[in-house]
């Protein structure tokens, strides 16, 4: 293992050396005298010419007017009868949000969780429901398990509520759609260089060029950093080229590739003690110092061909291949032996490897032609895809317990360490899934003020599981599901938009690549979302205000059978009632704002299932419990004020109320408010930016599980320089 890590580290450092360092100073302005005019005895006075090296200020930088996630085509957000949040690159850059999960903290109703069970990488809860498999890139599934960087992203769009008509299985709370940085036909080179506390080092390049009918763009990133957590580190590099070929005025071919590698430490933080994170220093590490491993290798290739037949009809076909390879040593906490200051916590360790391959082909037609004098847009198409998932796990033996308040770290677990997959395995499973789907949607304009959106999608989702350890666990099933969607939009003026929508989604038993004797005969869970909302443009369109009131419910959730607890039936219920508010844009001259707030009232309203509380030791019903990782209140406010054309100051507050991390609500992460700030100096050819995080040095916990909590970063800072050619 150590040799492999050394080779990976060497490749990362070589890659880092390819990213140039340097800066371009501001340019020199020069003026030339005008030649004397006829009748040269007269004195000529030239007007003063002011030359500014600072950047042209962009107002409303955080406000998005269009989105491509609420439909199959890019359309005005005001026309989408559903809540859509857009995190633009300007906000990502202002906050130095280098990870997608940090950028998504700006989205109302969305929280980040620690990985559940065998899952690692980005783990997301949206409107009270898991959205782990609901990640997309340019509208096509991209659901591998890894921590996503933002170096290749133009922005992130989040569609809220059940949305299987657009994206198929899952999508209960909504979807996260990443938008790739694509060629724009310009010529530029931008280099970003950052250094921060805990020896944080990062370089990135965004280069673009165009010639005749061909344009290309290249994004590259290298990062090497330690952590406020002891014995933690992160090495990451990535490359993301993209191309666009204009074959004819009506035909275009585009292609892009994402390659990202990462090495780090599997660390879920500190143990839970008496229902809360243990009162220990947030840097305290409880693992082993010489057998850490968490390696990820991701490759995602996409090719899209679009053609316009005429003014009314166009088509786009997209093919995507994804390969996600992850190898890691887990470190999980077990039961606590509560003896006060001498308390100990059990530990488990396993060597795990998961490889996932995706192949998707998606065809989308758009037909725009008035019907009976009414404007009309019909969208229809098909999707075909397969996903293969291979998962192995081997437990280490002889893993000792450790003191919670006075831990003594040991270098390894000796001969019990799982170093390969020979011998006895805990899991060895291979799952294949297949998706075949077709959809039809229509946006019909009754009048300029009234618009209707309706459609339906039909999915066939099949899964076959091969358990290499026990043939009795070889299962397969096929699910067939219709999912409708309907919405109405009323726009009495250009500034106002009000809507009501209804949408559905489904969760098949094999959604997460696993079937069991209890679930292989169960049809999908079904969900529905009712939503009413408003979108309002203020201050001559410089500021947008949004509000949404919704109910999201799962009316046939999996639960234990009332007659046989070993069986699973679809008779449970879970629902989330809530509302969201948002403001984005320029609220005063030179003052930009992004503000979101969500209130979530989530509850398991009916369940026969029970669980044993890790604190009380009592068996409790899940009915009446709040789902895992759902704060009742959460929100973000981020302000940016341009003191002059060159100087910018800003900051914001990230807020969350308390959350439960276990199913019977005995474990709680406390609520928190974190204050960040930014100071930037902008010039034509360079920017300098200072970001400060957690200015009040608040102790808080970003995520957690039943037995662990991951602390957030303490007071820290990063200094960045951006060079622009």
């Amino acid at each position: 293992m150590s040799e492999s890590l050394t080779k990976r580290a060497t490749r990362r450092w070589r890659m880092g050396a390819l990213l140039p360092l340097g800066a371009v100073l501001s340019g020199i302005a020069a003026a030339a005298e005008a030649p004397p005019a006829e009748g040269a005895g007269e004195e000529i006075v030239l007007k003063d010419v002011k030359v500014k090296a600072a950047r042209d200020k962009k107002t409303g930088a955080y406000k998005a007017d269009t989105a491509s996630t609420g439909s199959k085509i890019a359309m005005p957000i005001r026309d989408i009868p559903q809540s859509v949040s857009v995190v633009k690159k300007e906000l990502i850059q202002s906050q130095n949000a280098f990870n997608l999960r940090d950028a998504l903290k700006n989205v109302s109703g969305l929280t980040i969780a620690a990985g559940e069970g065998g899952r690692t990488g980005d783990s997301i809860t949206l409107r009270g429901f898991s959205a782990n498999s609901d990640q997309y890139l340019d509208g096509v599934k991209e659901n591998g398990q890894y921590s996503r960087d933002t170096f290749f992203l133009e922005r992130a769009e989040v569609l809220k509520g059940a949305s299987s008509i657009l994206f198929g299985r899952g999508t209960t709370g909504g979807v996260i759609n990443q938008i790739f940085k694509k060629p724009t036909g310009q010529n530029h080179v931008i280099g970003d260089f950052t250094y921060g506390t805990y020896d944080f080092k990062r370089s990135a390049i965004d280069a673009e060029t165009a010639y005749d009918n061909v344009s290309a763009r290249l994004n590259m990133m290298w990062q090497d950093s330690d952590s406020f957590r002891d014995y933690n580190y992160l090495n990451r590099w990535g490359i993301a080229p993209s191309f666009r070929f204009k074959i004819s005025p009506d035909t275009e071919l585009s292609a892009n590739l994402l390659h990202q590698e990462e090495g780090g430490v599997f660390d879920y933080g500190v143990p839970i003690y008496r229902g809360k994170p243990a009162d220990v220093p947030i840097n305290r590490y409880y693992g082993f110092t010489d057998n850490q491993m968490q390696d990820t290798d991701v490759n995602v290739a996409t090719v899209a061909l679009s053609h316009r037949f005429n003014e009314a009809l166009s088509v786009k076909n997209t093919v995507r291949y994804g390969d996600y390879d992850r190898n890691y040593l887990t470190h999980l906490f077990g039961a606590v032996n509560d003896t006060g200051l001498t308390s100990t916590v059990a530990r488990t360790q396993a060597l795990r490897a998961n490889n996932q391959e995706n192949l998707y082909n998606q065809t989308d037609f758009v037909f725009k032609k008035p019907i009976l004098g009414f404007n009309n847009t019909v969208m229809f198409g098909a999707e075909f895809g397969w996903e293969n998932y291979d998962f192995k796990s081997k437990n280490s033996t002889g893993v000792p317990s450790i003191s919670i308040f006075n831990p003594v770290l040991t270098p390894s677990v000796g001969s019990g360490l799982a170093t390969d997959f020979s011998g006895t395995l805990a899991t060895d499973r291979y799952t294949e899934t297949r998706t075949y789907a077709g959809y039809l949607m229509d946006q019909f304009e009754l009048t300029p003020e009234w618009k209707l959106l309706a459609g339906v999608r039909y999915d066939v989702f099949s899964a076959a599981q091969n358990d290499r350890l026990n043939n009795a666990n070889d299962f397969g099933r096929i699910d067939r599901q219709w999912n409708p969607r309907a919405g109405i939009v009323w726009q009495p003026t250009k500034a106002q938009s009000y809507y009501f929508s209804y949408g559905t989604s489904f969760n098949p038993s094999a959604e997460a690549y696993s079937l069991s004797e209890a679930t292989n005969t169960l049809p999908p869970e079904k969900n529905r979302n009712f939503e009413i909302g408003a979108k309002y443009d203020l201050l001559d369109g410089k500021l947008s205000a949004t509000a949404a009131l919704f109910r999201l419910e799962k009316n046939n959730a999996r639960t234990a059978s009332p007659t046989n607890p070993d069986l699973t039936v679809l008779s449970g219920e879970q629902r989330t009632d809530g509302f969201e508010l948002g403001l984005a844009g320029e609220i005063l001259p030179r003052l930009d704002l992004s503000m979101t707030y969500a209130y979530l009232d989530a509850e398991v309203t009916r369940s026969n299932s029970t669980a044993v509380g890790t604190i009380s030791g009592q068996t409790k019903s899940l009915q009446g419990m709040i789902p895992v990782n759902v704060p009742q209140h959460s929100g973000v406010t981020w302000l940016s004020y341009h003191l002059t054309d060159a100087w910018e100051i800003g900051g914001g507050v990230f807020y969350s109320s308390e959350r439960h991390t276990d199913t019977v609500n005995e474990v709680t992460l406390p609520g928190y408010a974190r204050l960040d700030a930014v100071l930037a100096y902008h010039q034509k050819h360079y920017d300098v930016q200072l970001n400060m995080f957690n200015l009040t040095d608040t102790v808080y916990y970003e995520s957690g599980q039943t037995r662990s909590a991951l602390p957030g970063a303490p007071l820290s800072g990063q200094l960045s320089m951006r060079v622009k050619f």
Side-chain angles (χ1 to χ4, degrees), residues 367-541:
F367 181 69
K368 295 183 177 182
K369 192 171 184 179
I371 295 179
L372 301 175
F374 299 99
N375 290 333
N376 186 69
T377 301
V378 179
M379 294 160 277
F380 60 97
E383 178 183 301
F384 308 96
W386 57 259
E387 300 171 43
N388 294 342
Y389 184 74
D390 197 331
F391 179 66
K392 293 182 176 69
S393 178
K394 181 181 179 181
N395 295 329
S396 296
T397 60
V399 183
S401 298
I402 191 170
S403 171
I404 295 177
F405 299 103
N406 189 27
V408 177
L409 299 184
T410 56
S412 71
V413 293
S415 60
L417 174 65
T419 58
D420 57 43
F421 291 103
S422 61
T424 302
L425 301 184
T427 308
D428 189 0
R429 183 177 69 243
Y430 178 76
T431 306
E432 295 181 348
T433 70
R434 300 292 182 263
T435 296
Y436 307 94
Y439 74 91
L440 172 66
M441 291 191 299
D442 188 15
Q443 186 182 42
F444 191 77
E445 188 174 301
L446 294 173
T447 70
E449 294 80 24
W450 289 93
K451 298 175 182 177
L452 297 177
L453 179 67
V456 67
R457 171 172 166 141
Y458 181 70
D459 275 270
V460 178
F461 178 75
S462 65
Q465 175 178 292
N466 176 21
D467 191 321
R468 302 184 181 105
L469 302 181
N470 186 354
N471 291 337
N473 292 327
D474 291 349
F475 300 110
R477 68 167 289 107
I478 299 177
D479 293 306
R480 296 175 174 87
Q481 186 68 43
W482 290 94
N483 281 285
R485 178 196 189 192
I488 184 169
V489 181
W490 177 47
Q491 298 168 337
T493 68
K494 291 184 178 180
Q496 302 175 64
S497 184
Y498 307 95
Y499 68 89
F500 171 78
S501 67
Y502 168 80
T504 65
S505 66
F506 73 108
N507 300 104
S509 296
E511 181 179 3
Y513 314 116
S514 179
L515 287 169
S516 67
E517 187 175 357
T519 62
N520 80 95
T521 60
L522 290 180
E525 296 177 318
K526 299 177 182 178
N527 319 283
R528 55 186 183 181
N529 184 74
F530 302 89
E531 184 172 323
I532 184 170
K535 302 170 185 179
Y536 208 111
D537 284 338
L538 306 168
L539 305 178
D540 295 326

Side-chain angles (χ1 to χ4, degrees), residues 8 31 77 189 308 455 470 491 583 601 666 722:
R8 286 179 180 270
I77 292 177
V189 177
R308 185 179 62 179
N470 186 354
Q491 298 168 337
L583 279 174
D601 178 16
E666 290 187 355
R722 164 167 292 188

Side-chain angles (χ1 to χ4, degrees), residues 112-114 268 270-272 275-278 628-631 656-662 665-672 700-711:
I112 308 297
Y268 277 171
V270 302
I272 295 295
K276 295 181 179 180
V628 170
N629 197 40
V630 184
S656 174
S657 60
E658 66 178 22
R659 296 149 287 159
H660 296 292
T661 63
D662 67 330
N665 297 173
E666 290 187 355
V667 179
T668 303
L669 297 185
Y672 70 89
Y700 71 101
Y701 298 87
E702 287 195 332
S703 61
Q705 290 188 314
T706 301
R707 299 186 183 276
S708 63
L710 185 62

Side-chain angles (χ1 to χ4, degrees), residues 68-128:
S68 59
T69 307
S71 181
K72 286 294 183 179
I73 57 175
M75 61 190 305
I77 292 177
R78 68 193 303 268
D79 290 347
I80 300 173
Q82 214 162 328
S83 179
V84 181
S85 294
V86 178
V87 184
K88 297 176 63 179
K89 67 178 180 180
E90 289 84 357
L91 184 57
I92 293 173
Q93 292 169 358
S94 181
Q95 296 176 352
N96 265 17
F98 297 133
N99 298 300
L100 178 63
R101 62 178 176 268
D102 293 327
L104 293 179
K105 291 175 183 176
N106 295 283
V107 176
S108 57
L110 185 149
T111 49
I112 308 297
E116 301 297 335
R119 181 175 179 88
T120 53
D122 295 329
S123 186
I124 294 168
T125 301
L126 190 53
R127 283 190 174 177

Side-chain angles (χ1 to χ4, degrees), residues 68 87-94 96-98 100 103 136-139 149-157 177-186 188-192 202-209 215-221 238-244 252 254-259 300 302 320 722-724:
S68 59
V87 184
K88 297 176 63 179
K89 67 178 180 180
E90 289 84 357
L91 184 57
I92 293 173
Q93 292 169 358
S94 181
N96 265 17
F98 297 133
L100 178 63
Y136 292 76
L137 181 62
D138 291 328
D149 201 283
T150 57
F151 80 99
F152 64 95
L153 295 185
E154 185 70 24
R155 59 186 185 172
E157 300 179 352
N177 188 24
Q178 308 163 86
I179 306 300
F180 206 99
K181 288 181 177 178
K182 303 178 185 67
T184 62
Q186 301 176 352
H188 73 252
V189 177
I190 299 174
D192 288 290
R202 179 182 171 100
S203 300
I205 284 180
D206 182 355
E208 187 174 354
T209 189
S215 55
R217 190 169 184 175
L218 176 64
N219 281 271
M220 302 171 67
M221 170 275 303
I239 183 170
S242 58
F243 306 91
R244 179 174 288 168
E252 182 177 285
S254 63
N256 57 61
L257 170 69
L258 168 64
H259 175 78
V300 181
T302 309
R320 168 163 300 150
R722 164 167 292 188
V723 182
K724 301 172 288 186

